[in-house]
Amino acid sequence: MRVLLTGHQGYLGTVMAPVLAAAGHEVVGLDAGLFADCVLGPTPADPQGHRVDLRDVTAEHVAGVDAVIHLAALSNDPLGSLAPELTYDINHHASVRLARLARDAGVRRFLYASTCSVYGAAGGDDLVAEDAPLRPVTPYAESKVRVEDDLHALADGDFSPMFMRNATAFGYSPRLRADIVLNNLVGHALLSGEVLVLSDGTPWRPLVHAVDIARAFTAALTAPREAVHDRAFNIGSEINNVTVAEIAEQVAEAVSGSKVVITGETGADPRSYRVDFSRFRAAVPGFDCEWTVKQGALDLADAYRQHGLTREDFEQRFTRLAVLRAASDAGTVDDTLRWRR
């Protein structure tokens, strides 16, 4: 299958491309390249692809493609809140435009990387399934809900969108992100000796390893159409439904000599939800996540040590908001996050 992978030079795309290739798919990348140089360890071997802003995609980019896996986005809540108008422009409008171009070009499957944060303020200890009310509390999560709605309207007998609601990702990627919870806590533990939690630690977080996300998308590509057509799927595992405080304890165990410090200075986080992941396992028999939070923390700690993670890199090069602010200050991108020529 010829697969267009948007965001192939991002945190998840860098992990997913080789998994797709190993499954026998021909991978074509598409990325603006904003984070292409945010590498920890050896520079990854990217698939051939297009260096293009998502807002500038044309029919030519989707010609001859069997499926699209759409990861590219302004990722995470702090970044989305900083520039909500850009979040909607890129994450919502450009995503739907890409889907229309793909459908018109005869693309059969469109796998959209949504998020479990669409459940936002679900609260409580009950497991949240895909038919639960959506309560996004950030522009990032709201943009994902809008795209899901618009892709549903595009679905027809020839075009099958799928809404892959990923839990919060974790794990080593050659293009690291340090601004997601487990990756961040392991970095703090190694660099300072403290597993620093700014909230009160009580919110529930579902977590999923980047490799397991890649495996899920790869499995969905070839799943029977009737099992996945125009459906939402939570991607993750119930065993990785954990509170932030529990994540911190796992990190302290993985990084010897570190201690948990819960400051509570940001108060209670309204984003709290435990998630039911059984629908995807039923649709794709044989699939299950392989990575636990503890295994991920140990592996991250090893990778950080092996590749010589520094505090400067941790706080600047591997934090998305810091990277874009630095590019803006240097004049390499404009106010709309487009490269200056």
Side-chain angles (χ1 to χ4, degrees):
M1 189 178 291
R2 191 165 194 258
V3 180
L4 179 67
L5 176 64
T6 75
H8 74 287
Q9 292 181 315
Y11 171 71
L12 290 179
T14 302
V15 173
M16 192 174 297
V19 174
L20 292 168
H25 300 293
E26 177 189 356
V27 182
V28 180
L30 189 149
D31 201 296
L34 291 172
F35 307 107
D37 295 331
C38 300
V39 175
L40 180 68
T43 300
D46 295 325
Q48 291 188 335
H50 310 284
R51 176 62 68 90
V52 62
D53 191 291
L54 185 63
R55 292 164 287 186
D56 299 328
V57 170
T58 67
E60 179 183 355
H61 296 118
V62 292
V65 169
D66 300 303
V68 172
I69 293 178
H70 181 35
L71 306 179
L74 287 183
S75 292
N76 84 2
D77 295 327
L79 182 57
S81 298
L82 174 74
E85 68 285 352
L86 287 179
T87 296
Y88 294 123
D89 189 25
I90 296 170
N91 291 11
H92 177 206
H93 300 299
S95 295
V96 176
R97 181 172 171 274
L98 170 67
R100 288 198 183 98
L101 289 170
R103 184 191 62 173
D104 293 346
V107 173
R108 306 286 291 182
R109 296 196 177 194
F110 191 96
L111 280 65
Y112 176 58
S114 188
T115 172
C116 282
S117 65
V118 296
Y119 303 119
D125 292 338
D126 293 337
L127 292 178
V128 177
E130 289 84 352
D131 56 358
L134 305 185
R135 298 187 175 96
V137 296
T138 64
Y140 171 73
E142 176 63 31
S143 73
K144 296 291 186 178
V145 173
R146 294 184 185 185
V147 174
E148 286 194 20
D149 288 343
D150 289 345
L151 291 183
H152 171 69
L154 293 176
D156 60 26
D158 297 315
F159 183 69
S160 293
M162 305 167 212
F163 320 116
M164 310 288 276
R165 295 176 182 168
N166 301 318
T168 298
F170 69 88
Y172 172 71
S173 165
R175 289 192 174 93
L176 182 70
R177 281 185 60 189
D179 51 8
I180 43 184
V181 61
L182 184 63
N183 296 10
N184 183 269
L185 293 179
V186 173
H188 269 293
L190 274 173
L191 295 169
S192 71
E194 293 184 345
V195 188
L196 185 63
V197 177
L198 300 181
S199 73
D200 63 6
T202 60
W204 286 100
R205 284 288 183 276
L207 302 187
V208 62
H209 197 283
V211 170
D212 284 327
I213 293 175
R215 292 176 55 246
F217 277 70
T218 303
L221 276 179
T222 55
R225 183 180 185 274
E226 62 274 13
V228 295
H229 172 72
D230 194 24
R231 299 186 74 192
F233 296 103
N234 296 329
I235 304 300
S237 173
E238 287 82 0
I239 196 172
N240 290 334
N241 278 320
V242 285
T243 66
V244 174
E246 288 170 340
I247 298 170
E249 293 293 343
Q250 296 274 21
V251 171
E253 291 181 17
V255 181
S256 60
S258 64
K259 62 178 181 179
V260 176
V261 177
I262 298 179
T263 69
E265 62 191 73
T266 61
D269 192 327
R271 299 166 300 165
S272 181
Y273 39 89
R274 296 177 68 232
V275 178
D276 182 343
F277 299 100
S278 60
R279 177 186 286 186
F280 190 71
R281 292 194 298 269
V284 185
F287 177 84
D288 205 350
C289 290
E290 297 177 346
W291 284 82
T292 64
V293 171
K294 184 175 182 178
Q295 291 168 333
L298 288 166
D299 185 65
L300 274 167
D302 286 344
Y304 288 174
R305 293 189 188 101
Q306 178 184 347
H307 300 304
L309 180 70
T310 67
R311 180 175 294 277
E312 182 180 3
D313 281 346
F314 179 71
E315 295 177 351
Q316 298 296 320
R317 210 153 56 93
F318 303 127
T319 297
R320 291 295 187 250
L321 187 54
V323 170
L324 293 180
R325 279 178 168 161
S328 178
D329 291 345
T332 55
V333 300
D334 64 19
D335 291 342
T336 67
L337 301 183
R338 291 183 182 274
W339 291 111
R340 293 187 187 274
R341 298 189 182 278

